[in-house]
Amino acid sequence: GQQVMQIPQYQHVQEGEDFTTYCNSSTTLSNIQWYKQRPGGHPVFLIQLVKSGEVKKQKRLTFQFGEAKKNSSLHITATQTTDVGTYFCAGPGDMRFGAGTRLTVKP
Amino acid sequence: DSGVTQTPKHLITATGQRVTLRCSPRSGDLSVYWYQQSLDQGLQFLIQYYNGEERAKGNILERFSAQQFPDLHSELNLSSLELGDSALYFCASSVGPGAPRETQYFGPGTRLLVL
């Protein structure tokens, strides 16, 4: 199966700064999912996007699904140390997890 | 707690040996997935089962095999172990194929160390 491409691989920010990770596919996705893995933990489901142009918010996290349903992004406003971890996107069916973006936050 | 259980939590073995990792999915979930995660790496998809049948195969080595039993628990067998097989092995479960049923719930993982 195909794998979605995710960038950047690493992101180091100062606490309070914003953070964005991007997920891209060469084919149209029926849906995309986002997961977070804390250091030493297991991936935890955050959200699923299904509709073209969809935007969903969870407190300081904003998830977007592109109009063409080929890309997605996760934006965190005013990062906190609790946001530390690796964020993965995953496509549907045979589409596999992206490589993940590892976020570190300097207090 | 995701509701997915994995045993054992830790496993230390020697090269050339064989081990079996066990996973029990969430109640009601029919799909089970296996992933390998090496140190600071991404999630490498190994294999997926749905209701006892193999549904998708990823980068699973020939030395590895898996199955899903009638009670829906799954086992991942790793044989002729090599040092490079040392990794965290995650099991995940979902209701089944097709959104939103594909949301995956991950177990705590089995950390395998091959010496």
Side-chain angles (χ1 to χ4, degrees), chain A residues 1 3 10 31 33 35 37 41-45 48 50 88 92-94 96-99 102, chain B residues 2 35 37 40-43 45 48 55-57 88 90 99-100 102-108:
Chain A
Q3 184 175 28
Y10 300 96
N31 70 83
Q33 301 173 12
Y35 295 77
Q37 183 178 20
H42 60 271
V44 174
F45 173 76
Q48 177 170 262
V50 179
F88 293 98
D94 284 347
R96 300 299 158 219
F97 279 75
R102 187 176 177 185
Chain B
S2 66
Y35 294 89
Q37 187 175 47
D40 291 337
Q41 296 295 310
L43 292 162
F45 170 70
Q48 178 197 359
R55 180 168 176 86
K57 216 168 187 176
L88 195 52
F90 285 111
E102 286 180 322
T103 299
Q104 294 181 42
Y105 295 88
F106 283 77

mmCIF file of all heavy atoms in Angstrom, chain A residues 1 3 10 31 33 35 37 41-45 48 50 88 92-94 96-99 102, chain B residues 2 35 37 40-43 45 48 55-57 88 90 99-100 102-108:
data_model
loop_
_atom_site.group_PDB
_atom_site.id
_atom_site.type_symbol
_atom_site.label_atom_id
_atom_site.label_comp_id
_atom_site.label_asym_id
_atom_site.label_seq_id
_atom_site.Cartn_x
_atom_site.Cartn_y
_atom_site.Cartn_z
ATOM 1 N N GLY A 1 0.807 -1.204 0.000
ATOM 2 C CA GLY A 1 0.000 0.000 0.000
ATOM 3 C C GLY A 1 0.843 1.258 0.000
ATOM 4 O O GLY A 1 2.006 1.240 0.354
ATOM 5 N N GLN A 3 2.093 5.042 1.075
ATOM 6 C CA GLN A 3 2.341 5.706 2.337
ATOM 7 C C GLN A 3 2.197 7.203 2.135
ATOM 8 O O GLN A 3 2.653 7.755 1.144
ATOM 9 C CB GLN A 3 3.735 5.380 2.848
ATOM 10 C CG GLN A 3 4.038 5.959 4.213
ATOM 11 C CD GLN A 3 5.397 5.518 4.729
ATOM 12 O OE1 GLN A 3 6.290 5.232 3.942
ATOM 13 N NE2 GLN A 3 5.560 5.469 6.032
ATOM 14 N N TYR A 10 11.403 16.554 12.054
ATOM 15 C CA TYR A 10 11.625 17.050 13.406
ATOM 16 C C TYR A 10 11.256 18.536 13.463
ATOM 17 O O TYR A 10 11.392 19.246 12.478
ATOM 18 C CB TYR A 10 13.106 16.916 13.822
ATOM 19 C CG TYR A 10 13.646 15.510 13.812
ATOM 20 C CD1 TYR A 10 14.335 15.036 12.708
ATOM 21 C CD2 TYR A 10 13.457 14.668 14.905
ATOM 22 C CE1 TYR A 10 14.843 13.746 12.691
ATOM 23 C CE2 TYR A 10 13.964 13.379 14.890
ATOM 24 C CZ TYR A 10 14.651 12.917 13.781
ATOM 25 O OH TYR A 10 15.142 11.643 13.770
ATOM 26 N N ASN A 31 -10.243 9.532 3.560
ATOM 27 C CA ASN A 31 -10.185 10.122 4.893
ATOM 28 C C ASN A 31 -8.740 10.137 5.357
ATOM 29 O O ASN A 31 -7.887 9.487 4.752
ATOM 30 C CB ASN A 31 -11.053 9.350 5.889
ATOM 31 C CG ASN A 31 -10.486 7.972 6.214
ATOM 32 O OD1 ASN A 31 -9.611 7.838 7.049
ATOM 33 N ND2 ASN A 31 -10.989 6.956 5.537
ATOM 34 N N GLN A 33 -6.371 10.289 9.146
ATOM 35 C CA GLN A 33 -6.414 10.256 10.603
ATOM 36 C C GLN A 33 -5.117 10.823 11.165
ATOM 37 O O GLN A 33 -4.069 10.725 10.530
ATOM 38 C CB GLN A 33 -6.600 8.823 11.083
ATOM 39 C CG GLN A 33 -7.865 8.174 10.556
ATOM 40 C CD GLN A 33 -7.939 6.704 10.904
ATOM 41 O OE1 GLN A 33 -7.176 6.197 11.716
ATOM 42 N NE2 GLN A 33 -8.879 6.003 10.292
ATOM 43 N N TYR A 35 -2.658 10.900 14.736
ATOM 44 C CA TYR A 35 -2.344 10.231 15.995
ATOM 45 C C TYR A 35 -1.189 10.965 16.666
ATOM 46 O O TYR A 35 -0.349 11.575 16.005
ATOM 47 C CB TYR A 35 -1.920 8.776 15.755
ATOM 48 C CG TYR A 35 -3.000 7.884 15.193
ATOM 49 C CD1 TYR A 35 -3.369 7.937 13.846
ATOM 50 C CD2 TYR A 35 -3.654 6.969 16.017
ATOM 51 C CE1 TYR A 35 -4.354 7.119 13.336
ATOM 52 C CE2 TYR A 35 -4.644 6.134 15.517
ATOM 53 C CZ TYR A 35 -4.976 6.213 14.173
ATOM 54 O OH TYR A 35 -5.961 5.392 13.677
ATOM 55 N N GLN A 37 1.913 10.272 19.591
ATOM 56 C CA GLN A 37 2.632 9.310 20.422
ATOM 57 C C GLN A 37 3.549 10.081 21.361
ATOM 58 O O GLN A 37 4.509 10.724 20.935
ATOM 59 C CB GLN A 37 3.452 8.342 19.565
ATOM 60 C CG GLN A 37 4.161 7.270 20.366
ATOM 61 C CD GLN A 37 4.929 6.281 19.476
ATOM 62 O OE1 GLN A 37 5.237 6.566 18.324
ATOM 63 N NE2 GLN A 37 5.237 5.113 20.004
ATOM 64 N N GLY A 41 5.400 6.153 24.943
ATOM 65 C CA GLY A 41 4.003 5.711 24.912
ATOM 66 C C GLY A 41 3.617 5.078 23.596
ATOM 67 O O GLY A 41 4.459 4.785 22.754
ATOM 68 N N HIS A 42 2.325 4.862 23.429
ATOM 69 C CA HIS A 42 1.829 4.293 22.191
ATOM 70 C C HIS A 42 1.009 5.336 21.451
ATOM 71 O O HIS A 42 0.525 6.304 22.053
ATOM 72 C CB HIS A 42 0.986 3.040 22.500
ATOM 73 C CG HIS A 42 -0.202 3.309 23.374
ATOM 74 N ND1 HIS A 42 -0.134 3.266 24.748
ATOM 75 C CD2 HIS A 42 -1.479 3.617 23.074
ATOM 76 C CE1 HIS A 42 -1.314 3.534 25.251
ATOM 77 N NE2 HIS A 42 -2.153 3.755 24.259
ATOM 78 N N PRO A 43 0.861 5.179 20.141
ATOM 79 C CA PRO A 43 0.064 6.149 19.383
ATOM 80 C C PRO A 43 -1.373 6.193 19.889
ATOM 81 O O PRO A 43 -1.979 5.163 20.166
ATOM 82 C CB PRO A 43 0.136 5.611 17.951
ATOM 83 C CG PRO A 43 1.378 4.788 17.913
ATOM 84 C CD PRO A 43 1.463 4.151 19.261
ATOM 85 N N VAL A 44 -1.884 7.405 19.963
ATOM 86 C CA VAL A 44 -3.245 7.619 20.418
ATOM 87 C C VAL A 44 -3.993 8.404 19.348
ATOM 88 O O VAL A 44 -3.502 9.423 18.850
ATOM 89 C CB VAL A 44 -3.273 8.390 21.752
ATOM 90 C CG1 VAL A 44 -4.711 8.741 22.143
ATOM 91 C CG2 VAL A 44 -2.603 7.586 22.846
ATOM 92 N N PHE A 45 -5.158 7.928 19.008
ATOM 93 C CA PHE A 45 -5.974 8.564 17.979
ATOM 94 C C PHE A 45 -6.383 9.958 18.422
ATOM 95 O O PHE A 45 -6.840 10.172 19.545
ATOM 96 C CB PHE A 45 -7.211 7.705 17.717
ATOM 97 C CG PHE A 45 -8.219 8.331 16.804
ATOM 98 C CD1 PHE A 45 -7.998 8.384 15.438
ATOM 99 C CD2 PHE A 45 -9.399 8.856 17.313
ATOM 100 C CE1 PHE A 45 -8.935 8.948 14.586
ATOM 101 C CE2 PHE A 45 -10.341 9.425 16.474
ATOM 102 C CZ PHE A 45 -10.109 9.467 15.105
ATOM 103 N N GLN A 48 -10.238 12.210 12.958
ATOM 104 C CA GLN A 48 -10.358 11.752 11.582
ATOM 105 C C GLN A 48 -11.041 12.846 10.772
ATOM 106 O O GLN A 48 -12.026 13.431 11.210
ATOM 107 C CB GLN A 48 -11.179 10.471 11.509
ATOM 108 C CG GLN A 48 -11.397 9.980 10.086
ATOM 109 C CD GLN A 48 -11.992 8.615 10.041
ATOM 110 O OE1 GLN A 48 -11.302 7.612 9.882
ATOM 111 N NE2 GLN A 48 -13.288 8.556 10.183
ATOM 112 N N VAL A 50 -12.787 13.697 6.990
ATOM 113 C CA VAL A 50 -13.419 12.971 5.891
ATOM 114 C C VAL A 50 -13.806 13.892 4.726
ATOM 115 O O VAL A 50 -13.678 13.511 3.570
ATOM 116 C CB VAL A 50 -14.674 12.218 6.395
ATOM 117 C CG1 VAL A 50 -15.340 11.474 5.254
ATOM 118 C CG2 VAL A 50 -14.300 11.266 7.516
ATOM 119 N N PHE A 88 1.613 11.619 13.985
ATOM 120 C CA PHE A 88 1.524 10.812 12.771
ATOM 121 C C PHE A 88 0.211 11.089 12.057
ATOM 122 O O PHE A 88 -0.832 11.230 12.688
ATOM 123 C CB PHE A 88 1.537 9.318 13.098
ATOM 124 C CG PHE A 88 2.825 8.801 13.670
ATOM 125 C CD1 PHE A 88 2.978 8.644 15.040
ATOM 126 C CD2 PHE A 88 3.870 8.428 12.837
ATOM 127 C CE1 PHE A 88 4.147 8.146 15.570
ATOM 128 C CE2 PHE A 88 5.049 7.919 13.369
ATOM 129 C CZ PHE A 88 5.191 7.786 14.737
ATOM 130 N N PRO A 92 -6.259 5.958 4.677
ATOM 131 C CA PRO A 92 -7.221 4.879 4.860
ATOM 132 C C PRO A 92 -6.755 3.570 4.255
ATOM 133 O O PRO A 92 -5.865 3.536 3.429
ATOM 134 C CB PRO A 92 -8.441 5.391 4.086
ATOM 135 C CG PRO A 92 -7.833 6.168 2.961
ATOM 136 C CD PRO A 92 -6.597 6.821 3.535
ATOM 137 N N GLY A 93 -7.386 2.505 4.660
ATOM 138 C CA GLY A 93 -7.148 1.203 4.064
ATOM 139 C C GLY A 93 -5.694 0.824 3.998
ATOM 140 O O GLY A 93 -5.000 0.778 5.008
ATOM 141 N N ASP A 94 -5.200 0.605 2.809
ATOM 142 C CA ASP A 94 -3.819 0.180 2.621
ATOM 143 C C ASP A 94 -2.817 1.324 2.743
ATOM 144 O O ASP A 94 -1.612 1.098 2.695
ATOM 145 C CB ASP A 94 -3.641 -0.474 1.249
ATOM 146 C CG ASP A 94 -4.205 -1.885 1.238
ATOM 147 O OD1 ASP A 94 -4.490 -2.386 2.334
ATOM 148 O OD2 ASP A 94 -4.367 -2.450 0.158
ATOM 149 N N ARG A 96 -0.491 3.726 4.515
ATOM 150 C CA ARG A 96 0.168 3.517 5.784
ATOM 151 C C ARG A 96 0.441 4.828 6.500
ATOM 152 O O ARG A 96 0.246 5.901 5.974
ATOM 153 C CB ARG A 96 1.476 2.760 5.550
ATOM 154 C CG ARG A 96 1.252 1.425 4.899
ATOM 155 C CD ARG A 96 0.383 0.547 5.774
ATOM 156 N NE ARG A 96 -0.272 -0.487 5.002
ATOM 157 C CZ ARG A 96 -1.529 -0.888 5.197
ATOM 158 N NH1 ARG A 96 -2.243 -0.356 6.146
ATOM 159 N NH2 ARG A 96 -2.039 -1.832 4.459
ATOM 160 N N PHE A 97 0.929 4.714 7.702
ATOM 161 C CA PHE A 97 1.272 5.878 8.504
ATOM 162 C C PHE A 97 2.419 6.652 7.858
ATOM 163 O O PHE A 97 3.342 6.074 7.287
ATOM 164 C CB PHE A 97 1.714 5.450 9.902
ATOM 165 C CG PHE A 97 0.572 5.161 10.819
ATOM 166 C CD1 PHE A 97 -0.158 3.989 10.694
ATOM 167 C CD2 PHE A 97 0.226 6.047 11.826
ATOM 168 C CE1 PHE A 97 -1.219 3.720 11.552
ATOM 169 C CE2 PHE A 97 -0.827 5.783 12.688
ATOM 170 C CZ PHE A 97 -1.550 4.616 12.539
ATOM 171 N N GLY A 98 2.347 7.979 7.983
ATOM 172 C CA GLY A 98 3.470 8.806 7.605
ATOM 173 C C GLY A 98 4.617 8.561 8.573
ATOM 174 O O GLY A 98 4.447 7.888 9.594
ATOM 175 N N ALA A 99 5.779 9.119 8.243
ATOM 176 C CA ALA A 99 6.964 8.897 9.072
ATOM 177 C C ALA A 99 6.873 9.611 10.412
ATOM 178 O O ALA A 99 7.629 9.304 11.333
ATOM 179 C CB ALA A 99 8.206 9.351 8.323
ATOM 180 N N ARG A 102 8.381 14.704 14.855
ATOM 181 C CA ARG A 102 8.725 14.686 16.270
ATOM 182 C C ARG A 102 8.865 16.113 16.769
ATOM 183 O O ARG A 102 9.710 16.867 16.285
ATOM 184 C CB ARG A 102 10.026 13.920 16.473
ATOM 185 C CG ARG A 102 10.389 13.699 17.927
ATOM 186 C CD ARG A 102 11.630 12.839 18.020
ATOM 187 N NE ARG A 102 12.045 12.658 19.389
ATOM 188 C CZ ARG A 102 13.163 12.027 19.744
ATOM 189 N NH1 ARG A 102 13.944 11.517 18.813
ATOM 190 N NH2 ARG A 102 13.490 11.902 21.005
ATOM 191 N N SER B 2 -6.521 1.965 26.168
ATOM 192 C CA SER B 2 -7.192 1.829 24.873
ATOM 193 C C SER B 2 -8.110 0.620 24.818
ATOM 194 O O SER B 2 -8.969 0.529 23.938
ATOM 195 C CB SER B 2 -6.135 1.699 23.768
ATOM 196 O OG SER B 2 -5.407 0.477 23.927
ATOM 197 N N TYR B 35 2.508 -3.570 14.026
ATOM 198 C CA TYR B 35 3.503 -2.590 13.600
ATOM 199 C C TYR B 35 4.817 -2.849 14.325
ATOM 200 O O TYR B 35 4.842 -3.317 15.459
ATOM 201 C CB TYR B 35 3.043 -1.170 13.949
ATOM 202 C CG TYR B 35 1.820 -0.695 13.212
ATOM 203 C CD1 TYR B 35 0.558 -0.931 13.723
ATOM 204 C CD2 TYR B 35 1.933 0.002 12.011
ATOM 205 C CE1 TYR B 35 -0.581 -0.495 13.045
ATOM 206 C CE2 TYR B 35 0.807 0.448 11.330
ATOM 207 C CZ TYR B 35 -0.437 0.196 11.860
ATOM 208 O OH TYR B 35 -1.546 0.630 11.185
ATOM 209 N N GLN B 37 8.263 -0.711 15.487
ATOM 210 C CA GLN B 37 8.833 0.624 15.640
ATOM 211 C C GLN B 37 10.230 0.496 16.243
ATOM 212 O O GLN B 37 10.375 0.171 17.414
ATOM 213 C CB GLN B 37 7.947 1.506 16.518
ATOM 214 C CG GLN B 37 8.419 2.963 16.564
ATOM 215 C CD GLN B 37 7.464 3.864 17.329
ATOM 216 O OE1 GLN B 37 7.022 3.532 18.415
ATOM 217 N NE2 GLN B 37 7.140 5.017 16.757
ATOM 218 N N ASP B 40 13.293 5.508 17.829
ATOM 219 C CA ASP B 40 13.102 6.819 17.219
ATOM 220 C C ASP B 40 12.704 6.756 15.747
ATOM 221 O O ASP B 40 12.970 7.679 14.987
ATOM 222 C CB ASP B 40 14.373 7.674 17.360
ATOM 223 C CG ASP B 40 14.608 8.072 18.800
ATOM 224 O OD1 ASP B 40 13.632 8.078 19.572
ATOM 225 O OD2 ASP B 40 15.767 8.365 19.151
ATOM 226 N N GLN B 41 12.082 5.670 15.357
ATOM 227 C CA GLN B 41 11.646 5.544 13.968
ATOM 228 C C GLN B 41 10.123 5.612 13.888
ATOM 229 O O GLN B 41 9.423 5.652 14.905
ATOM 230 C CB GLN B 41 12.131 4.210 13.388
ATOM 231 C CG GLN B 41 13.637 4.100 13.323
ATOM 232 C CD GLN B 41 14.237 5.111 12.375
ATOM 233 O OE1 GLN B 41 13.825 5.248 11.235
ATOM 234 N NE2 GLN B 41 15.229 5.855 12.868
ATOM 235 N N GLY B 42 9.640 5.595 12.667
ATOM 236 C CA GLY B 42 8.201 5.611 12.454
ATOM 237 C C GLY B 42 7.594 4.243 12.663
ATOM 238 O O GLY B 42 8.264 3.301 13.087
ATOM 239 N N LEU B 43 6.327 4.148 12.348
ATOM 240 C CA LEU B 43 5.595 2.904 12.490
ATOM 241 C C LEU B 43 5.650 2.130 11.182
ATOM 242 O O LEU B 43 5.107 2.560 10.177
ATOM 243 C CB LEU B 43 4.139 3.197 12.847
ATOM 244 C CG LEU B 43 3.902 3.797 14.223
ATOM 245 C CD1 LEU B 43 2.532 4.439 14.292
ATOM 246 C CD2 LEU B 43 4.040 2.738 15.303
ATOM 247 N N PHE B 45 4.317 -0.763 9.156
ATOM 248 C CA PHE B 45 3.179 -1.677 9.111
ATOM 249 C C PHE B 45 3.642 -3.066 8.715
ATOM 250 O O PHE B 45 4.364 -3.240 7.729
ATOM 251 C CB PHE B 45 2.148 -1.155 8.127
ATOM 252 C CG PHE B 45 1.046 -2.124 7.804
ATOM 253 C CD1 PHE B 45 0.088 -2.446 8.753
ATOM 254 C CD2 PHE B 45 0.970 -2.709 6.554
ATOM 255 C CE1 PHE B 45 -0.928 -3.334 8.450
ATOM 256 C CE2 PHE B 45 -0.045 -3.595 6.248
ATOM 257 C CZ PHE B 45 -0.999 -3.913 7.198
ATOM 258 N N GLN B 48 -2.182 -6.955 8.614
ATOM 259 C CA GLN B 48 -3.515 -6.705 9.152
ATOM 260 C C GLN B 48 -4.389 -7.938 8.972
ATOM 261 O O GLN B 48 -4.360 -8.584 7.915
ATOM 262 C CB GLN B 48 -4.184 -5.521 8.451
ATOM 263 C CG GLN B 48 -5.603 -5.243 8.933
ATOM 264 C CD GLN B 48 -6.403 -4.364 7.992
ATOM 265 O OE1 GLN B 48 -5.906 -3.929 6.959
ATOM 266 N NE2 GLN B 48 -7.649 -4.086 8.344
ATOM 267 N N ARG B 55 -5.807 -9.440 5.706
ATOM 268 C CA ARG B 55 -6.436 -8.431 4.853
ATOM 269 C C ARG B 55 -5.405 -7.600 4.090
ATOM 270 O O ARG B 55 -5.639 -7.210 2.958
ATOM 271 C CB ARG B 55 -7.308 -7.498 5.683
ATOM 272 C CG ARG B 55 -7.998 -6.431 4.861
ATOM 273 C CD ARG B 55 -9.075 -5.710 5.643
ATOM 274 N NE ARG B 55 -9.641 -4.625 4.845
ATOM 275 C CZ ARG B 55 -10.638 -4.796 3.976
ATOM 276 N NH1 ARG B 55 -11.175 -5.990 3.810
ATOM 277 N NH2 ARG B 55 -11.101 -3.774 3.283
ATOM 278 N N ALA B 56 -4.292 -7.326 4.738
ATOM 279 C CA ALA B 56 -3.255 -6.517 4.081
ATOM 280 C C ALA B 56 -1.903 -6.897 4.638
ATOM 281 O O ALA B 56 -1.785 -7.286 5.794
ATOM 282 C CB ALA B 56 -3.515 -5.035 4.284
ATOM 283 N N LYS B 57 -0.907 -6.803 3.783
ATOM 284 C CA LYS B 57 0.444 -7.161 4.177
ATOM 285 C C LYS B 57 1.371 -6.003 3.883
ATOM 286 O O LYS B 57 1.304 -5.395 2.816
ATOM 287 C CB LYS B 57 0.882 -8.387 3.375
ATOM 288 C CG LYS B 57 1.753 -9.355 4.126
ATOM 289 C CD LYS B 57 1.873 -10.665 3.354
ATOM 290 C CE LYS B 57 2.591 -11.700 4.161
ATOM 291 N NZ LYS B 57 2.636 -13.005 3.487
ATOM 292 N N LEU B 88 10.145 -2.064 19.226
ATOM 293 C CA LEU B 88 8.863 -2.058 19.914
ATOM 294 C C LEU B 88 7.832 -2.571 18.917
ATOM 295 O O LEU B 88 7.766 -2.083 17.777
ATOM 296 C CB LEU B 88 8.549 -0.630 20.347
ATOM 297 C CG LEU B 88 7.475 -0.345 21.368
ATOM 298 C CD1 LEU B 88 7.672 -1.169 22.630
ATOM 299 C CD2 LEU B 88 7.499 1.134 21.712
ATOM 300 N N PHE B 90 3.919 -2.993 18.165
ATOM 301 C CA PHE B 90 2.591 -2.556 18.562
ATOM 302 C C PHE B 90 1.534 -3.380 17.855
ATOM 303 O O PHE B 90 1.657 -3.722 16.680
ATOM 304 C CB PHE B 90 2.368 -1.091 18.194
ATOM 305 C CG PHE B 90 3.066 -0.113 19.079
ATOM 306 C CD1 PHE B 90 4.126 0.640 18.603
ATOM 307 C CD2 PHE B 90 2.651 0.081 20.389
ATOM 308 C CE1 PHE B 90 4.778 1.555 19.410
ATOM 309 C CE2 PHE B 90 3.296 0.998 21.209
ATOM 310 C CZ PHE B 90 4.358 1.732 20.713
ATOM 311 N N ALA B 99 -13.997 4.006 6.857
ATOM 312 C CA ALA B 99 -14.150 5.058 7.864
ATOM 313 C C ALA B 99 -15.589 5.091 8.340
ATOM 314 O O ALA B 99 -16.501 4.908 7.536
ATOM 315 C CB ALA B 99 -13.741 6.395 7.279
ATOM 316 N N PRO B 100 -15.868 5.397 9.596
ATOM 317 C CA PRO B 100 -14.902 5.668 10.659
ATOM 318 C C PRO B 100 -14.435 4.417 11.389
ATOM 319 O O PRO B 100 -13.789 4.501 12.401
ATOM 320 C CB PRO B 100 -15.702 6.560 11.608
ATOM 321 C CG PRO B 100 -17.101 6.032 11.481
ATOM 322 C CD PRO B 100 -17.250 5.610 10.045
ATOM 323 N N GLU B 102 -12.192 2.485 10.766
ATOM 324 C CA GLU B 102 -10.762 2.218 10.678
ATOM 325 C C GLU B 102 -9.950 2.882 11.767
ATOM 326 O O GLU B 102 -8.742 2.694 11.824
ATOM 327 C CB GLU B 102 -10.225 2.704 9.332
ATOM 328 C CG GLU B 102 -10.621 1.816 8.176
ATOM 329 C CD GLU B 102 -10.079 2.338 6.864
ATOM 330 O OE1 GLU B 102 -10.058 3.572 6.688
ATOM 331 O OE2 GLU B 102 -9.691 1.520 6.032
ATOM 332 N N THR B 103 -10.562 3.679 12.610
ATOM 333 C CA THR B 103 -9.806 4.297 13.696
ATOM 334 C C THR B 103 -9.112 3.210 14.487
ATOM 335 O O THR B 103 -9.738 2.263 14.951
ATOM 336 C CB THR B 103 -10.739 5.083 14.629
ATOM 337 O OG1 THR B 103 -11.382 6.112 13.878
ATOM 338 C CG2 THR B 103 -9.962 5.684 15.784
ATOM 339 N N GLN B 104 -7.804 3.351 14.627
ATOM 340 C CA GLN B 104 -7.013 2.309 15.266
ATOM 341 C C GLN B 104 -6.714 2.654 16.721
ATOM 342 O O GLN B 104 -6.337 3.775 17.035
ATOM 343 C CB GLN B 104 -5.707 2.103 14.500
ATOM 344 C CG GLN B 104 -5.925 1.551 13.098
ATOM 345 C CD GLN B 104 -4.629 1.319 12.363
ATOM 346 O OE1 GLN B 104 -3.655 0.823 12.931
ATOM 347 N NE2 GLN B 104 -4.613 1.672 11.091
ATOM 348 N N TYR B 105 -6.873 1.675 17.573
ATOM 349 C CA TYR B 105 -6.571 1.810 18.993
ATOM 350 C C TYR B 105 -5.381 0.917 19.290
ATOM 351 O O TYR B 105 -5.433 -0.293 19.049
ATOM 352 C CB TYR B 105 -7.788 1.435 19.836
ATOM 353 C CG TYR B 105 -8.933 2.395 19.604
ATOM 354 C CD1 TYR B 105 -9.848 2.171 18.578
ATOM 355 C CD2 TYR B 105 -9.068 3.545 20.365
ATOM 356 C CE1 TYR B 105 -10.868 3.061 18.325
ATOM 357 C CE2 TYR B 105 -10.087 4.447 20.122
ATOM 358 C CZ TYR B 105 -10.978 4.204 19.099
ATOM 359 O OH TYR B 105 -11.995 5.095 18.846
ATOM 360 N N PHE B 106 -4.329 1.542 19.786
ATOM 361 C CA PHE B 106 -3.064 0.845 19.975
ATOM 362 C C PHE B 106 -2.914 0.280 21.377
ATOM 363 O O PHE B 106 -3.342 0.891 22.363
ATOM 364 C CB PHE B 106 -1.894 1.800 19.709
ATOM 365 C CG PHE B 106 -1.632 2.044 18.259
ATOM 366 C CD1 PHE B 106 -2.444 2.902 17.534
ATOM 367 C CD2 PHE B 106 -0.581 1.415 17.611
ATOM 368 C CE1 PHE B 106 -2.219 3.120 16.183
ATOM 369 C CE2 PHE B 106 -0.341 1.642 16.264
ATOM 370 C CZ PHE B 106 -1.167 2.494 15.551
ATOM 371 N N GLY B 107 -2.284 -0.883 21.432
ATOM 372 C CA GLY B 107 -1.904 -1.450 22.708
ATOM 373 C C GLY B 107 -0.622 -0.805 23.208
ATOM 374 O O GLY B 107 -0.016 0.008 22.503
ATOM 375 N N PRO B 108 -0.189 -1.165 24.409
ATOM 376 C CA PRO B 108 1.003 -0.549 25.005
ATOM 377 C C PRO B 108 2.301 -1.009 24.366
ATOM 378 O O PRO B 108 3.349 -0.402 24.600
ATOM 379 C CB PRO B 108 0.926 -0.984 26.466
ATOM 380 C CG PRO B 108 0.143 -2.244 26.436
ATOM 381 C CD PRO B 108 -0.848 -2.098 25.320
#
